[in-house]
Amino acid sequence: MLVAYLAPALMAGAGGVASGQSGLTTAAFTSIAGTSAVVALLIGSWLRRRGRSRPWTTALPRIVVAAILAVGAAVIAGLVGWFASRWLPAHTSVVDTARLARLQLDLPISAAVAAVIVSWRWRRQNP
């Protein structure tokens, strides 16, 4: 899980520093890396416990399994991003900020990338 946090944090953080985007640099160490770590933990745990008992995880081609998990993770993360950036400011006293607006993009992308990497590696070890 540490690698799932550090890799996107360092890559996105470096991109933010190189391009002078302080918002990206901040998001790199919060929403981007945090989402990657949480998704890697959840999907990795699920695959270790129940992956072999689910026939589709071993019967389908590795790319299909990775795509299914990536789309699923991206949809769930997208809903969380929408909730945090749109619903919360409209219905609570949470202030609508540029950081919240980034969540609609950062969360689904980070979740999809983490899901692909974890499922691809798991499947390689469990053919």
Side-chain angles (χ1 to χ4, degrees):
M1 192 168 98
L2 182 60
V3 172
Y5 177 85
L6 287 177
L10 294 175
M11 293 306 294
V17 169
S19 65
Q21 298 178 37
S22 61
L24 177 57
T25 305
T26 302
F29 294 95
T30 56
S31 60
I32 294 171
T35 301
S36 294
V38 168
V39 169
L41 174 69
L42 292 174
I43 291 180
S45 297
W46 180 80
L47 285 170
R48 264 187 261 122
R49 282 185 312 206
R50 294 193 174 94
R52 284 192 145 309
S53 65
R54 304 281 190 255
W56 66 271
T57 60
T58 54
L60 293 175
R62 186 177 0 178
I63 195 164
V64 174
V65 173
I68 290 170
L69 291 174
V71 168
V75 166
I76 292 169
L79 290 171
V80 171
W82 170 83
F83 178 79
S85 67
R86 297 284 184 236
W87 191 90
L88 281 177
H91 296 90
T92 66
S93 61
V94 173
V95 179
D96 188 12
T97 64
R99 271 190 208 168
L100 284 179
R102 286 192 62 90
L103 295 178
Q104 288 187 333
L105 184 63
D106 291 347
L107 269 57
I109 292 173
S110 298
V113 170
V116 167
I117 291 170
V118 168
S119 62
W120 195 267
R121 291 189 65 183
W122 176 85
R123 182 62 190 276
R124 186 178 64 205
Q125 295 171 353
N126 298 285

